[in-house]
Amino acid sequence: MKFFATISFLIFSTTVFSQNKTFRGTILLTDSFSVQNGKVVFPIQSDTLIIDETGVAKINLTEPSNRVFYFLWAGWKSKLFRYETDNCDSAIVEVKIPEKIYYEEFHQKKACPICNDGKYLIPVVYGMPTKKMMRQADKLKIYLAGCIRPGYDIQFYCKKHQFDF
Ligand SMILES: [Zn+2]
C-alpha cells in the first residue's frame, strides 16, 4: 500500500510541478538596457530563432535539439544554456549579454562550451593576416577574426560547432 502511495505521489508531483516546457528569455545588455531585436542560436542543428517585437524568446524544450542555445545581439553572445530535460522555470529569464566571465572560464579550461572539449579548438588571430597566416587558416590551424575586436576577448574557435568564444 505504501508503495502505491509513493507511486501515485510521484505521478502527481510530475504532472503538477513539471508543466513548464517553454523557456522564456529576454536580452538584457550589461548596462541594464533591454533590447527588442536579437536572436537565439541553436548550435547543434545550426538553426536560429529571431526574437519578435515582444522581446521575449520562447523556446520549446520538448524538442531535444532545442535544449542547447545561446542568445546573440550585435555579434555579442550570452552564456550557453543547456537543459537535460524539457523542464524549466516558468519565470522569464533575463539573459545577460555579453557574458565575459562565463567565457573566461572556458578560455582557461581550453574547452568549447558546446562540446566541453578542446579537441576541435583552434586559436583566434586578429589583425591583418600575412600569407603564412592565410595558409594556416585554409588548413583550419587558426581562425582569422579580422581587424575589428568585438569589445571583448575572443580566443578560440571550435571547428565542430563553428563557434568562436
Ligand atoms: Zn565544440
Side-chain angles (χ1 to χ4, degrees):
M1 195 57 207
K2 200 177 166 198
F3 174 74
F4 286 108
T6 314
I7 293 290
S8 349
F9 175 72
L10 283 177
I11 292 168
F12 172 76
S13 51
T14 9
T15 44
V16 170
F17 301 113
S18 312
Q19 289 184 339
N20 194 55
K21 296 177 188 303
T22 304
F23 174 98
R24 291 183 306 150
T26 186
I27 294 173
L28 196 71
L29 299 184
T30 37
D31 47 6
S32 300
F33 171 62
S34 102
V35 288
Q36 246 89 64
N37 50 348
K39 55 189 175 182
V40 183
V41 182
F42 302 94
I44 305 293
Q45 79 257 45
S46 324
D47 201 5
T48 53
L49 170 81
I50 305 291
I51 302 172
D52 65 19
E53 65 281 356
T54 63
V56 179
K58 295 164 202 76
I59 299 158
N60 174 13
L61 297 178
T62 57
E63 178 56 60
S65 56
N66 281 355
R67 290 180 199 157
V68 176
F69 55 88
Y70 60 91
F71 285 64
L72 193 65
W73 184 83
W76 288 355
K77 294 183 186 73
S78 72
K79 70 170 203 168
L80 188 80
F81 289 86
R82 190 191 296 275
Y83 282 89
E84 302 299 331
T85 64
D86 61 6
N87 192 10
C88 70
D89 201 83
S90 59
I92 296 178
V93 176
E94 287 184 341
V95 179
K96 215 178 102 187
I97 284 187
E99 188 64 91
K100 276 161 88 168
I101 294 155
Y102 173 82
Y103 287 105
E104 276 167 15
E105 210 184 297
F106 287 94
H107 291 164
Q108 277 161 14
K109 286 201 289 186
K110 291 191 169 56
C112 162
I114 303 162
C115 50
N116 212 359
D117 201 335
K119 220 172 17 186
Y120 305 101
L121 294 190
I122 53 174
V124 168
V125 179
Y126 286 96
M128 187 68 87
T130 62
K131 277 186 178 160
K132 190 185 169 196
M133 280 157 69
M134 294 222 223
R135 280 197 303 273
Q136 286 178 315
D138 282 344
K139 290 179 196 156
L140 288 174
K141 300 258 186 244
I142 58 170
Y143 180 78
L144 298 176
C147 295
I148 300 159
R149 285 179 178 263
Y152 61 105
D153 219 15
I154 286 180
Q155 294 191 5
F156 296 105
Y157 176 79
C158 175
K159 291 188 278 181
K160 189 179 176 187
H161 293 107
Q162 298 171 356
F163 184 79
D164 59 6
F165 64 97

